[in-house]
Amino acid sequence: MASSGNPCFWNEFELKKPPLVTLQVENTGFAKHVYVDINRFLLQQCGEKETKEFDETAALIGRLMARRKNSFRNVPGFRTVCKLNAALCRLLRLDLARDLEQFRGTLPDVCDGDSDGVLPTRSSFQFILVRLLSFYHLHERIRECCISAATYFTQLLRNNFFMDFVTLLLAAIAKINKLSTLQASHSADLYNRLWPQVPNFPQVEKHRFLMDNQDLPAKLSSPVSTKEVTSPTPAPVLMKPKEVVTRVERAKSDVGTVIARKEPSNTLRSAKPKFNAAEVLATVEDAQRFIARETKARNQNPPPESCLTMRISKHEWLAAQTLFQRKLGKDPAKALSIFRKFIISKIK
């Protein structure tokens, strides 16, 4: 039975299922709508193609995480991928399709025209709603992790870090985010259809599933409409044609008072010479001396003004050194080129 006083009882792993009891009732006409809604969800959710794509993509993310566990152990984005993998593993333990099929089997035959029949108790129906809540919120967690991880690894990709691995990881994250959004939309739609039917199921005080201080939400918000997710082409956007400017007229409006700014003197300009990567990082030996000099300066507290890499975060600086040393044994020229591009992008 659900624990008392816990508003997130749906998040419990060992949520005890109430006993499956059926009672004779006079009106079962509404049950056909419940049967049809559950059947539609199972056809949408358990499609062979969609399920296979989701499982394969989730397995790919798990393998990528295990393969690069030592390389990205201290990277914030990788910790988010670990949380994403944990949410995907937890989703595998939640066999929603099995619970829905068992509950659907207890409903009266939809082809039976009689109004009376047997129905499962309200507790069994509420257990199905709680399972839908778990499914919905797990997908919400998955999408949050996808957005957070993609934001970080996109920045690495812009700096030419681990391009092959990051490209594959971003593609897997984007695909799992799309499939998760679609599944969450289906579960929210089913929940919103089933929740109004709760009073129609018979209640047994002995087998109550929810306590007095536990309430189920009346409605779940769909992350995006199903049509928007499955639409292959975006809606056409009508663009207003721009007017062709044939001459430039002087503006007559008041633009305020123009304040002249003094240019810095030549002495000030020459005081801080511009960083020239072609000279400072001309050879591999120059790059190694640059790394040693900057690392020594960064370890001082506070770093001196001559430290050129003060704005580079600690994990980015360590990742740049690791990539440089790894590429150095295979292709020194490529290692120097990648390191030089990184330094240029950070020092402006």
Side-chain angles (χ1 to χ4, degrees):
M1 186 174 294
S3 59
S4 175
N6 185 5
C8 295
F9 61 92
W10 51 264
N11 199 28
E12 296 179 4
F13 266 119
E14 303 300 333
L15 186 64
K16 188 176 180 181
K17 187 175 182 180
L20 186 58
V21 179
T22 56
L23 299 176
Q24 185 74 22
V25 295
E26 296 180 356
N27 185 13
T28 61
F30 71 95
K32 62 181 180 181
H33 302 292
V34 177
Y35 187 98
V36 171
D37 291 335
I38 293 178
N39 196 56
R40 183 188 297 111
F41 175 81
L42 291 175
L43 292 177
Q44 293 173 339
Q45 192 67 29
C46 301
E48 182 178 355
K49 182 179 179 181
E50 291 76 7
T51 303
K52 184 178 180 182
E53 287 183 357
F54 190 91
D55 294 343
E56 290 178 351
T57 309
L60 176 60
I61 292 177
R63 290 195 297 269
L64 291 175
M65 184 198 68
R67 182 175 299 178
R68 290 291 185 176
K69 186 175 183 180
N70 295 329
S71 303
F72 292 93
R73 181 172 50 190
N74 297 324
V75 174
F78 187 73
R79 290 196 291 268
T80 306
V81 177
C82 293
K83 296 178 182 178
L84 171 62
N85 185 66
L88 291 172
C89 293
R90 187 159 188 164
L91 187 64
L92 292 177
R93 296 183 58 181
L94 180 66
D95 196 352
L96 177 62
R98 180 193 60 187
D99 294 330
L100 288 175
E101 289 175 354
Q102 291 179 354
F103 182 81
R104 183 185 60 179
T106 62
L107 296 175
D109 190 354
V110 295
C111 298
D112 190 2
D114 298 334
S115 60
D116 58 342
V118 293
L119 285 177
T121 61
R122 186 179 303 177
S123 297
S124 298
F125 186 65
Q126 289 173 337
F127 177 80
I128 294 299
L129 295 179
V130 170
R131 278 297 188 231
L132 282 171
L133 275 177
S134 304
F135 189 82
Y136 174 84
H137 286 293
L138 273 176
H139 278 291
E140 187 177 35
R141 171 70 169 171
I142 289 172
R143 295 195 305 277
E144 290 176 356
C145 293
C146 286
I147 295 174
S148 178
T151 302
Y152 182 85
F153 283 106
T154 302
Q155 184 64 34
L156 287 186
L157 190 63
R158 291 173 181 171
N159 295 330
N160 297 326
F161 281 169
F162 309 96
M163 292 190 64
D164 296 339
F165 171 78
V166 172
T167 302
L168 180 59
L169 182 61
L170 285 175
I173 289 175
K175 189 170 185 179
I176 206 72
N177 181 70
K178 178 182 178 181
L179 295 174
S180 176
T181 303
L182 184 60
Q183 292 188 8
S185 299
H186 290 159
S187 63
D189 181 67
L190 177 62
Y191 182 93
N192 295 336
R193 290 175 178 272
L194 295 183
W195 187 85
Q197 305 291 352
V198 172
N200 295 327
F201 285 88
Q203 173 74 309
V204 179
E205 292 295 331
K206 184 178 179 181
H207 299 151
R208 291 191 63 180
F209 178 66
L210 298 180
M211 299 301 173
D212 295 334
N213 60 341
Q214 293 175 337
D215 295 323
L216 298 179
K219 186 177 182 181
L220 295 179
S221 59
S222 177
V224 67
S225 63
T226 306
K227 294 182 179 180
E228 184 176 345
V229 175
T230 58
S231 178
T233 57
V237 179
L238 299 179
M239 303 296 293
K240 184 178 180 180
K242 298 181 179 180
E243 297 181 358
V244 180
V245 180
T246 57
R247 63 176 181 175
V248 179
E249 296 182 357
R250 186 176 180 180
K252 297 180 181 180
S253 59
D254 184 10
V255 294
T257 304
V258 179
I259 301 176
R261 297 187 179 183
K262 296 182 180 181
E263 292 290 335
S265 62
N266 294 332
T267 58
L268 294 177
R269 291 182 179 180
S270 59
K272 188 177 180 181
K274 185 178 180 181
F275 176 76
N276 191 342
E279 296 180 0
V280 180
L281 302 175
T283 63
V284 174
E285 291 76 13
D286 293 339
Q288 292 174 340
R289 286 193 293 270
F290 178 82
I291 292 175
R293 182 173 65 252
E294 289 297 315
T295 301
K296 182 179 179 180
R298 289 169 64 93
N299 291 333
Q300 299 181 20
N301 190 14
E305 295 183 0
S306 59
C307 182
L308 300 174
T309 60
M310 285 191 300
R311 296 183 179 180
I312 303 178
S313 60
K314 182 178 179 180
H315 70 271
E316 289 182 335
W317 176 247
L318 292 176
Q321 296 181 61
T322 303
L323 179 62
F324 176 74
Q325 296 296 335
R326 184 176 299 171
K327 295 289 184 181
L328 191 59
K330 299 180 181 179
D331 192 348
K334 186 175 181 180
L336 179 62
S337 175
I338 294 176
F339 183 76
R340 185 187 298 151
K341 290 179 180 179
F342 169 73
I343 295 299
I344 292 175
S345 65
K346 294 297 182 179
I347 303 176
K348 296 182 180 179

